Amino acid sequence: MKSIRTLLVLSVAANALSTHAQVRPEVTVETPVPKNPGQWLIRPFHLDRRSVSPANLSNTPRLESLVRAGNLYLSAQDVIALALENNVDIAIQRYAPYLSQEVLRRASGGGFLRDVSVPIAAGPESVSLAGVTVNAGGLGGGGGVSSGGGIVIQIGTTPPALDPVLFANAQFQHSTTPLSNTLLSNTPSLVNSSQQFQFGYFQQFLTGTQAQLSYSSYRSAVNSPSVLLNPYTNAYLDFFVQQPLLQGFGRPVNNRNIRVARNNLKVSELQFKHQVIVTVAAILNLYWDLVSFREDLRIKDQAVATAQKLRDDNEAQVKLGAMASIEITRAAAELSNTKQDLLIAQTNVLQQETVLKNALSRNGIATPWLDDVHVITLDKIVVPEKDDFKPVPELIKEALAARPEIEQTRINLESSRINLAGTKNALLPTLSAFAELTNNGLTGSPNALNVGNFYGVPDPYVVGGYGNLLAQIFRRNYPNYSAGFSLNIPFRNRQAQGDYVADQLQMRQGELQLQKSISQVRVEVKNAVIALQQARARYETAVATSQLAKETLEAEQNRFRFGESTIALVVQSQRDVTNDQSLEVQAMANYTHAQIAFDQAVGRTLDINHIEIGEAVAGHVVRPSSIPENVK
């Protein structure tokens, strides 16, 4: 499968057809490029900097362009194009890769995974024909509703937060403290005016390492003459690093969410492709059923005309005295029956038009002009003279390589193996080593309240301004060093043990599910071949039966003219012709369903219908409509 991930960026090209047309995707997530360096810092905090385009609730111009004189002219290719552009199920699933892309962005910053899967929606179904549902092309693995992709979520050792953090704080304080002992401070109440500033940088890495560089400064001025430096400032520059050695150690454990998120993005792409396949198959079934319904309507209308002619002929014969008056009643009864069948056929056509128009439109029949138009089908059902099959083993091999469900199951199984590393790592004790280096500094001015240096003279080395303070820090005149480790051994650790075994069991389930899916594909391909062969056999039988019924009717009519048959036999023959013709049309429709189901089982739906997945992603089909030029 061609990856569609590249179509998620703004400058996406919907396809690379002969026209080389460039189209803008329907769904866009816009991230403006900062114009100056300062915007790089504040961009993450502007909620409106990344905007998603509004949902498109209007139809593409293609739909209205196919309307002529109150009729909507549709070919099979037009139906497919309209489905790719306007079908709501495809439009909903079109958001899935974008959602997965944002979950990948979240995981790249160290966040947990979110389940943003969108279930596959089964396509619309046709109305019934004489109580028998003719839409029989669904497959267990390809045409039904799926569970939504099996997106894998977070469990096990917590991954590090990978987005760096800048922090800063400031505190300004003025305090007055009454003193019970004034001997040291030589003042009844100590007044202190202070300012404290701290800022730093914190970062975690995929190895589990976390590091912090911080700077803190404290300035104080008091009303006591006993303090040699007043005001004074002390500060420190601190570097701290910590490394887990057991639990939480290593890239395979800490980057598993990122790898699983990438897999989930692939799954969402496969989900979208699967939705396109299911929807296109359902839409084609709708279209060919409408074709068969209209053909059946023609047959029923012809039957009414024939029954009307028979009644008129019988009435003329009765007036001439050549026929009993009861034959008028019999002919009238047959005419009433054919009119009832015609009404049912008309109902099926109108209902099927409604279903089809709703499937090809975003707002359905709520659009007045769309509700009023009638659908004129431009294509006829054509059954080929023979079916050219590859051997079934080759078809199965082709299906296993092309069916998105199989690849989707494999990817989810791989994600389960990736996540297993996290739950296994959680079984280990927590052992961390750390090291810390701190450089201190002190500076200030001689206390003006210390008259005559009564309390002593400050060290000249610490007398000075803020530059003196920074010089002490960077010269490392007053360094602190520390290092150590922290060990935490949980007894029993039942939560981690349960998670680890549960993940193993689920992974084994996934392996069996993959085998089940492969076996199901084999069954579906085999059954699709059998169904197509049987559909052809039923069609050929229906054609032969219809032809024999026509010959029988012609013979009965000839016998009736010479007085060798009865009107009841003629009426029955006419009824048989109509029924057999309807069965022939239904057999043709069933063959199209079997062919669609076969293409879906083998994984050919997109190729056989000339569908570019890029067009489906963009919601825009480049190829022009196939409406005939003579249609005004």
Side-chain angles (χ1 to χ4, degrees):
M1 183 196 76
K2 297 181 180 178
S3 174
I4 61 173
R5 190 176 300 108
T6 54
L7 298 169
L8 299 176
V9 296
L10 295 177
S11 58
V12 62
N15 47 58
L17 302 177
S18 59
T19 57
H20 299 285
Q22 300 288 325
V23 297
R24 182 178 177 85
E26 177 186 325
V27 182
T28 58
V29 181
E30 298 188 357
T31 304
V33 178
K35 299 180 180 179
N36 56 66
Q39 289 185 340
W40 285 102
L41 181 62
I42 64 174
R43 185 183 63 172
F45 311 106
H46 281 223
L47 300 181
D48 58 347
R49 298 300 291 178
R50 304 187 70 240
S51 59
V52 179
S53 58
N56 185 5
L57 303 180
S58 59
N59 297 313
T60 58
R62 182 187 301 270
L63 182 61
E64 193 167 359
S65 69
L66 296 173
V67 177
R68 299 288 190 278
N71 293 320
L72 177 62
Y73 291 85
L74 293 177
S75 66
Q77 284 299 310
D78 288 331
V79 166
I80 294 173
L82 288 172
L84 296 180
E85 292 181 347
N86 298 325
N87 183 263
V88 176
D89 292 334
I90 293 179
I92 292 173
Q93 197 66 238
R94 191 174 283 124
Y95 283 89
Y98 293 87
L99 285 166
S100 297
Q101 183 70 42
E102 295 309 310
V103 174
L104 175 57
R105 182 189 300 272
R106 172 184 173 86
S108 299
F112 288 172
L113 300 179
R114 293 179 55 182
D115 186 358
V116 294
S117 57
V118 182
I120 295 294
E125 296 184 355
S126 296
V127 299
S128 298
L129 175 62
V132 179
T133 300
V134 298
N135 186 14
L139 293 173
V145 180
S146 80
S147 61
I151 301 295
V152 183
I153 58 176
Q154 170 66 41
I155 198 169
T157 302
T158 303
L162 300 176
D163 287 339
V165 177
L166 285 173
F167 60 91
N169 59 72
Q171 180 178 346
F172 305 91
Q173 184 178 4
H174 180 85
S175 64
T176 303
T177 307
L179 302 176
S180 61
N181 187 344
T182 62
L183 181 61
L184 296 178
S185 60
N186 199 25
T187 181
S189 60
L190 183 65
V191 179
N192 184 10
S193 297
S194 64
Q195 302 93 36
Q196 184 174 4
F197 303 92
Q198 184 181 28
F199 60 90
Y201 177 89
F202 177 78
Q203 173 76 71
Q204 290 181 287
F205 302 91
L206 285 175
T207 56
T209 309
Q210 55 179 297
Q212 176 176 304
L213 180 65
S214 60
Y215 178 80
S216 179
S217 173
Y218 177 81
R219 185 181 187 276
S220 174
V222 297
N223 64 338
S224 173
S226 63
V227 180
L228 299 183
L229 292 177
N230 187 30
Y232 74 90
T233 303
N234 62 18
Y236 66 84
L237 180 65
D238 180 82
F239 177 71
F240 176 84
V241 61
Q242 182 174 342
Q243 174 64 54
L245 301 177
L246 292 176
Q247 189 178 132
F249 173 77
R251 295 175 62 89
V253 173
N254 294 318
N255 73 350
R256 68 187 191 281
N257 276 2
I258 299 175
R259 289 184 289 159
V260 170
R262 291 195 182 106
N263 281 348
N264 290 345
L265 178 56
K266 296 177 184 178
V267 168
S268 64
E269 293 169 357
L270 291 168
Q271 283 284 100
F272 178 75
K273 181 179 179 180
H274 191 183
Q275 182 68 73
V276 172
I277 292 172
V278 170
T279 302
V280 167
I283 293 294
L284 286 175
N285 280 326
L286 291 182
Y287 179 78
W288 293 121
D289 283 340
L290 180 58
V291 172
S292 65
F293 287 172
R294 296 189 71 87
E295 181 64 18
D296 185 68
L297 177 61
R298 183 192 63 79
I299 293 172
K300 296 300 194 296
D301 189 62
Q302 185 177 2
V304 170
T306 302
Q308 182 69 51
K309 182 176 184 304
L310 178 64
R311 182 191 178 285
D312 293 343
D313 290 345
N314 287 359
E315 187 178 8
Q317 292 293 326
V318 169
K319 289 181 179 180
L320 295 175
M323 185 177 293
S325 59
I326 189 62
E327 302 301 339
I328 298 179
T329 304
R330 291 175 178 174
E334 178 62 17
L335 177 60
S336 179
N337 287 333
T338 57
K339 287 182 177 180
Q340 182 177 1
D341 292 340
L342 176 62
L343 181 61
I344 294 174
Q346 290 172 339
T347 301
N348 285 331
V349 169
L350 293 176
Q351 290 181 338
Q352 187 72 0
E353 287 181 356
T354 300
V355 173
L356 182 59
K357 288 187 292 185
N358 185 69
L360 300 179
S361 170
R362 299 210 177 202
N363 40 29
I365 57 176
T367 305
W369 67 264
L370 183 60
D371 187 30
D372 294 337
V373 298
H374 292 286
V375 177
I376 304 299
T377 55
L378 299 177
D379 294 330
K380 301 293 184 181
I381 298 177
V382 177
V383 179
E385 295 182 0
K386 64 177 182 177
D387 297 316
D388 188 12
F389 291 129
K390 293 180 181 179
V392 173
E394 293 186 20
L395 293 175
I396 292 175
K397 183 178 180 181
E398 180 181 346
L400 292 177
R403 291 277 290 269
E405 309 96 303
I406 300 299
E407 182 64 19
Q408 185 175 319
T409 305
R410 289 195 178 102
I411 292 175
N412 285 330
L413 182 58
E414 179 188 351
S415 295
S416 297
R417 294 193 181 99
I418 292 173
N419 268 337
L420 188 62
T423 50
K424 182 178 181 181
N425 183 261
L427 295 170
L428 299 175
T430 301
L431 175 62
S432 298
F434 68 89
E436 186 172 13
L437 172 63
T438 306
N439 294 339
N440 299 288
L442 174 65
T443 191
S445 302
N447 192 344
L449 300 176
N450 184 13
V451 179
N453 296 326
F454 178 79
Y455 292 94
V457 179
D459 186 346
Y461 194 77
V462 297
V463 175
Y466 211 85
N468 181 41
L469 175 73
L470 296 177
Q472 294 173 22
I473 291 176
F474 288 106
R475 286 197 304 261
R476 305 182 62 216
N477 294 124
Y478 307 102
N480 293 345
Y481 304 95
S482 64
F485 70 90
S486 173
L487 178 62
N488 185 2
I489 303 177
F491 287 99
R492 304 183 74 177
N493 203 12
R494 288 176 291 180
Q495 179 177 338
Q497 291 176 4
D499 287 340
Y500 180 55
V501 174
D503 277 3
Q504 290 185 81
L505 293 172
Q506 288 182 336
M507 188 174 68
R508 299 298 177 250
Q509 285 181 326
E511 292 171 349
L512 292 174
Q513 183 63 44
L514 176 59
Q515 183 59 42
K516 177 183 176 181
S517 299
I518 292 174
S519 299
Q520 181 66 25
V521 167
R522 292 193 177 101
V523 171
E524 289 176 358
V525 172
K526 181 66 176 178
N527 286 342
V529 171
I530 294 173
L532 191 58
Q533 293 172 337
Q534 293 299 316
R536 168 172 290 281
R538 289 196 296 270
Y539 167 72
E540 292 175 348
T541 302
V543 171
T545 302
S546 178
Q547 182 60 35
L548 291 173
K550 292 178 182 178
E551 294 175 1
T552 300
L553 174 61
E554 184 178 351
E556 287 296 334
Q557 289 174 337
N558 290 333
R559 292 181 61 205
F560 180 76
R561 293 191 188 98
F562 294 103
E564 298 178 359
S565 181
T566 64
I567 188 64
L569 292 176
V570 174
V571 169
Q572 183 60 46
S573 296
Q574 289 178 343
R575 189 177 303 162
D576 291 342
V577 168
T578 301
N579 291 338
D580 290 341
Q581 286 178 337
S582 294
L583 290 175
E584 179 182 349
V585 170
Q586 186 173 339
M588 294 173 65
N590 289 338
Y591 181 86
T592 64
H593 298 325
Q595 182 65 61
I596 292 170
F598 173 80
D599 294 336
Q600 193 173 352
V602 181
R604 297 177 177 175
T605 301
L606 300 183
D607 293 336
I608 207 73
N609 293 292
H610 312 292
I611 297 174
E612 293 285 342
I613 196 66
E615 294 180 331
V617 172
H620 177 82
V621 179
V622 175
R623 61 179 178 271
S625 302
S626 55
I627 186 170
E629 296 181 358
N630 58 348
V631 177
K632 304 297 185 181

